[in-house]
């Protein structure tokens, strides 16, 4: 992996120090910043969860192709909304209201985009 084989020794050391094998990942460009390290991490035995709406490609085709490539290699794509809810697990938690603030902002922004485009979940 580019980031784990020595291109960034500090990052490699930090990842390995956690002892964890599940990685939640995002990046600037899907087809480069996310796909390359995700594919390398999958190859090294990590479980990779790319947050597909927290990254973008230079075009819809390159974005989707990179996601498809990661999935074919064994990645488990997830959205930011699903990730947050999965991490929350139980809305009875004492800190649930903190996530509600984030999720309400997410839907507020999505509605504004939908009002402007006519499509609430336009890609």
């Amino acid at each position: 992996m580019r980031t784990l084989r020595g291109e960034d020794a500090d990052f490699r050391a930090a990842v390995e120090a956690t002892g964890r094998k599940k990685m939640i990942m995002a990046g600037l460009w899907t087809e480069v910043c996310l796909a390359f390290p995700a594919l390398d991490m999958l190859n090294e035995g990590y479980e990779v969860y790319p947050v597909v709406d927290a990254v973008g490609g230079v075009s819809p085709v390159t974005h989707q192709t990179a996601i498809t490539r990661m999935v074919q290699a064994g990645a488990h794509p997830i959205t930011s909304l699903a990730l947050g809810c999965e991490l929350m697990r139980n809305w009875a938690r004492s800190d649930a209201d903190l996530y509600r603030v984030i999720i309400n902002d997410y839907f507020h922004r999505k509605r504004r985009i939908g009002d402007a485009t006519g499509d609430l979940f336009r890609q």
Side-chain angles (χ1 to χ4, degrees), residues 27-34 51-60 62-63:
L28 179 62
W29 285 356
T30 316
E31 59 275 24
V32 178
C33 306
L34 177 57
V51 186
V52 296
D53 62 346
V55 63
V58 296
S59 74
T62 61
H63 175 74

Side-chain angles (χ1 to χ4, degrees), residues 12-89:
R12 180 186 184 93
V15 169
E16 290 175 347
T18 69
R20 296 181 179 180
K21 295 301 267 181
K22 293 183 179 183
M23 297 298 292
I24 299 168
M25 300 179 71
L28 179 62
W29 285 356
T30 316
E31 59 275 24
V32 178
C33 306
L34 177 57
F36 290 171
L39 293 169
D40 288 338
M41 292 185 102
L42 287 162
N43 192 45
E44 291 193 17
Y46 288 86
E47 284 183 59
V48 175
Y49 296 82
V51 186
V52 296
D53 62 346
V55 63
V58 296
S59 74
V61 169
T62 61
H63 175 74
Q64 190 55 53
T65 301
I67 292 169
T68 299
R69 185 176 179 203
M70 289 183 281
V71 168
Q72 289 172 339
H76 309 283
I78 193 164
T79 64
S80 55
L81 180 61
L83 175 64
C85 291
E86 189 169 327
L87 292 173
M88 178 57 63
R89 302 294 290 177

Side-chain angles (χ1 to χ4, degrees), residues 63-112:
H63 175 74
Q64 190 55 53
T65 301
I67 292 169
T68 299
R69 185 176 179 203
M70 289 183 281
V71 168
Q72 289 172 339
H76 309 283
I78 193 164
T79 64
S80 55
L81 180 61
L83 175 64
C85 291
E86 189 169 327
L87 292 173
M88 178 57 63
R89 302 294 290 177
N90 183 341
W91 291 98
R93 289 173 44 159
S94 61
D95 59 353
D97 283 340
L98 296 173
Y99 186 60
R100 280 188 185 92
V101 169
I102 295 168
I103 212 169
N104 286 336
D105 181 65
Y106 172 85
F107 282 116
H108 174 74
R109 290 171 189 260
K110 282 300 236 182
R111 260 186 239 99
R112 277 199 321 217

